[in-house]
Amino acid sequence: MDDLSVDQRPRPVPGPTAGKAPGHIPGEAGVWLLLFGEMSFFSSLFTAFLYYRSLDIALFSASQAELSKAIGLTNTLLLLSSSLFVALAVRAVAQGRTTTAPRLFLAALACSLGFILFKGIEYYQLISAGIAVNSNSFFGFYFALTGLHLGHVIIGSVLLGVLAVFSGRPLARPSHFALIESGGCFWHMVDLLWIIIFPLLYLVE
Amino acid sequence: MDVKRFASIRSQRVLIWISLVAATIYGSALFGLMGFLPPPHADLSADQVLALYAEHNVRFLVGCIISLIAGFFLLPWSTVLACQMARLEKGWPIWTLIQWMGINLIAIFIWGPPIIWGTAAFSVDRAPELTLLLHELGFLSFITPLTVFPIALVAVLVICFTKDEADNVSAFPRWLGYLTAWQAVQSFGGPVALLFKSGIFSWSGLIPFWLPFLLFSVWFGAQSWTMLRALRHQEREGI
Amino acid sequence: MTNLLRDRLFLVWLLLIAVTLLSAMIGGAHGFAAAGHGAAATFAVLGIAFAKVWLVMSNFMDVRGAPRALKIVCAVWLLAVLAILLAVYAQLLPL
């Protein structure tokens, strides 16, 4: 990161058409290794969840009723909005708007902090009701899935903070734009995992 | 691109191969002789666990001894990794040191558990609950310290994304950075084992055991391969 | 405001919000199909979820501007995961 001062080549920053050129890999090829790895990992958990559900449908339905659909829905809307802000922010970076981009990243960060807050409230409500990770296999999955996802949200939030700082400076080299775009893609992945977790845990009947 | 040579290329190459061979021996002892593949379920009763250690007692203890001999394998490896990182790192090699300490802390928990399992197998005529305790301590100290990985891997990430070197000859290409990031994130699955006694989240399950160890093997192999490739290049270029 | 309504990213976001609300009404304990139509509701809810994932991928992650290979990998991957999940849900796989 400290090589910004070393490398003072003129800014080869992608212009307003960045990402519009056909054949542009979002971020860079390597980040898709991480994204598909993570998505496959979570998909195996989703499959396992539905399999264990099929073994004891009554228990899973009864336990699902304990969850607050309102909180799950609110969190989905928060993450979708944060994804919009990140997409707008990456576009702003591509257009070289160094004042707008950090604000958009911070807006996304605010949404993700809201998500974490609501997740905390939901955990608190469940735990106060005497429900814990070892209550039954539904709640085992519930806490493990949402907990692992929450870990990704927290890592992603740190990333959003870093992106907010970096997007406020002119980019020194093209690889820095690739890193910002890759960071954005990681956040979208966090969003799209929740897009699947929400119906699985809260809506499947 | 003014890079200085830190250590002899031949020594680095030899050390990587020593690590790879030792890792193979360690894995064969642990998963073959000691029979921990697949790992025993985390919800076995004390008597079942005692039977596990009593059944092939001598073979198990020999496995412990071999894995204690070969369990050093991360040490030379992390040192060569540190050499390769330091030649690319700008300024005082602070990330290199973080990596070196982090991986070596993990190495303690790779090398250590066979002592605990060995102790469990040492006396098979004690109260079963005592053996159960050692058994659980052995597995949990083997699986949960995965959490140390991320801080060491962040250091590797920094080198991958800030180096001044072409990807196709570097020990730290950008794609390896993303693989490393994935390995770092997956490491958080390890401590989940503390919360579950059965199913995919227990220590014999998908999340704490199979995925992290599969991914570790891939990452370990990939990083070894890129280091050997980079060493060939450095030898050719005389740098 | 008219500018906003011409912005593809914003429109996609509106659509995502709308279908999220729709799927929340269809599924769950007090959903439209709570009585007797559980399976149909689940198929609908999961189908909507994967359509949303595709929208996020193609627009927010900009896969629509990516090389054809990446588009195909994303699409095949999504369809495969959806098919596996639905098959497991409907207990069609001999697991």
Side-chain angles (χ1 to χ4, degrees), chain B residues 120-183:
Chain B
F122 184 61
S123 306
V124 287
D125 49 358
R126 64 165 91 84
E129 284 74 18
L130 294 177
T131 300
L132 179 67
L133 175 67
L134 287 169
H135 173 72
E136 291 181 343
L137 180 62
F139 264 98
L140 291 174
S141 61
F142 182 59
I143 303 260
T144 53
L146 275 171
T147 44
V148 185
F149 254 121
I151 187 64
L153 297 185
V154 163
V156 177
L157 275 185
V158 170
I159 304 297
C160 286
F161 292 123
T162 63
K163 65 179 190 305
D164 264 332
E165 196 175 49
D167 259 6
N168 58 350
V169 293
S170 179
F172 304 96
R174 293 173 74 89
W175 62 263
L176 186 81
Y178 289 107
L179 184 69
T180 305
W182 183 23
Q183 160 78 8

Side-chain angles (χ1 to χ4, degrees), chain A residues 127-148:
Chain A
I127 291 167
S128 325
I131 293 167
V133 61
N134 54 1
S135 294
N136 62 40
S137 55
F138 175 85
F139 284 109
F141 269 104
Y142 166 81
F143 280 105
L145 264 178
T146 58
L148 288 169

Side-chain angles (χ1 to χ4, degrees), chain A residues 72-88 187-196 198-199 203, chain C residues 7-25 45-62 78:
Chain A
L73 182 62
T74 312
N75 269 346
T76 312
L77 300 181
L78 277 171
L79 278 194
L80 286 175
S81 308
S82 74
S83 244
L84 172 68
F85 286 129
V86 167
L88 292 171
W187 185 260
H188 295 310
M189 183 202 70
V190 170
D191 174 34
L192 66 82
L193 290 174
W194 182 259
I195 288 179
I196 305 175
F198 171 60
L203 302 180
Chain C
D7 190 331
R8 182 173 47 84
L9 293 177
F10 183 75
L11 291 176
V12 167
W13 176 77
L14 276 184
L15 181 61
L16 285 168
I17 298 287
V19 293
T20 303
L21 294 173
L22 178 71
S23 65
M25 283 193 286
V45 160
L46 286 180
I48 289 176
F50 275 80
K52 281 161 68 185
V53 170
W54 175 247
L55 277 177
V56 169
M57 274 186 167
S58 58
N59 293 285
F60 289 171
M61 294 167 104
D62 220 7
L78 282 182

Side-chain angles (χ1 to χ4, degrees), chain A residues 1 28 38 41 45 152 182, chain B residues 162 174 178 182 186 211:
Chain A
M1 309 284 164
E28 54 185 303
E38 287 289 273
F41 161 68
L45 290 185
H152 285 70
S182 301
Chain B
T162 63
R174 293 173 74 89
Y178 289 107
W182 183 23
Q186 288 296 306
L211 282 178

